[in-house]
Amino acid sequence: MSIRINKFISEAGLGSRREAEAIVRQGRITINGKRAALSDSVNAKDVVCLDDVELPVRDLILEIEADEAYKDAIDRKIRNKEEKIQKRTHLSSKSASLRKSSKNNPENRYRYKKMLEMEEELDFDEEQSAYARLNKKKRKR
C-alpha cells in the first residue's frame, strides 16, 4: 500500500496535511535519499527522513492499513444488515395488516367498505355475505 507523503507526515503526528505540505515544499523531507515532492507516495519499504531523522514508515503504514481494514469491515457489516432488512421487507409480510389478502390491509378495508355500501344500497337481505351481516349488526348497536 502506498500513501501520499502529506498524509504520511500528518499520520506521523508532525502536523496537519497543510502543514505537511509546507514541510515538503521547504525541502525538509527526503524519500530514499531524494528530496520529496508533493506528488510522491511512500511504501513500507521506503526510508523517509525529516531533517535527517528517520521516520517509522513501516509501523505507520501497517497502522493505517489496520484502521482502513477495520473501517471496511464495519461498513461491510452495515451493508449486510441493510441488505437483509431489504430482503425481509420484499418477502411476504408476516403482519396481517400488510398482506394483500387481509381484511385489515388499509386498501382492502376501503374496498370492503365500498362493497358494504353498495350492498346496503341494493338492500340484499337474504343474499348478504356473513361478513356484511356482521358489520351491519355492529353498526346497529
Side-chain angles (χ1 to χ4, degrees):
M1 176 180 183
S2 63
I3 300 172
R4 290 184 57 107
I5 190 69
N6 59 347
K7 179 174 180 173
F8 172 76
I9 293 170
S10 68
E11 291 290 327
L14 301 173
S16 67
R17 287 193 186 187
R18 302 297 173 240
E19 292 170 353
E21 287 177 6
I23 292 171
V24 172
R25 284 190 189 114
Q26 291 170 2
R28 296 172 54 192
I29 301 289
T30 58
I31 302 173
N32 297 329
K34 296 180 183 177
R35 186 176 169 195
L38 286 175
S39 61
D40 290 342
S41 296
V42 180
N43 292 324
K45 297 176 184 176
D46 292 332
V47 177
V48 178
C49 296
L50 170 67
D51 297 330
D52 298 328
V53 177
E54 190 173 332
L55 300 174
V57 179
R58 186 171 181 272
D59 297 337
L60 286 171
I61 289 180
L62 290 175
E63 198 174 299
I64 292 169
E65 286 177 353
D67 287 343
E68 288 180 5
Y70 178 74
K71 289 176 187 174
D72 288 343
I74 290 175
D75 289 343
R76 207 173 308 115
K77 280 185 179 180
I78 291 171
R79 273 194 309 260
N80 288 342
K81 283 183 182 179
E82 288 174 354
E83 288 173 4
K84 286 179 183 177
I85 290 170
Q86 287 177 350
K87 286 180 184 176
R88 242 185 270 146
T89 56
H90 290 295
L91 298 174
S92 64
S93 59
K94 295 179 181 178
S95 171
S97 64
L98 299 177
R99 281 191 221 123
K100 288 184 179 178
S101 62
S102 172
K103 294 177 183 176
N104 293 326
N105 186 324
E107 293 175 9
N108 293 343
R109 275 189 197 165
Y110 177 75
R111 286 189 205 130
Y112 281 113
K113 284 182 183 178
K114 288 292 183 184
M115 183 183 74
L116 292 175
E117 289 172 5
M118 289 174 59
E119 286 178 355
E120 286 177 5
E121 287 175 12
L122 297 174
D123 199 29
F124 288 116
D125 291 328
E126 296 174 19
E127 298 176 12
Q128 284 183 342
S129 66
Y131 182 73
R133 276 185 257 141
L134 284 173
N135 280 337
K136 202 169 193 179
K137 286 180 184 177
K138 286 181 184 176
R139 285 187 198 143
K140 287 181 181 178
R141 289 182 190 173

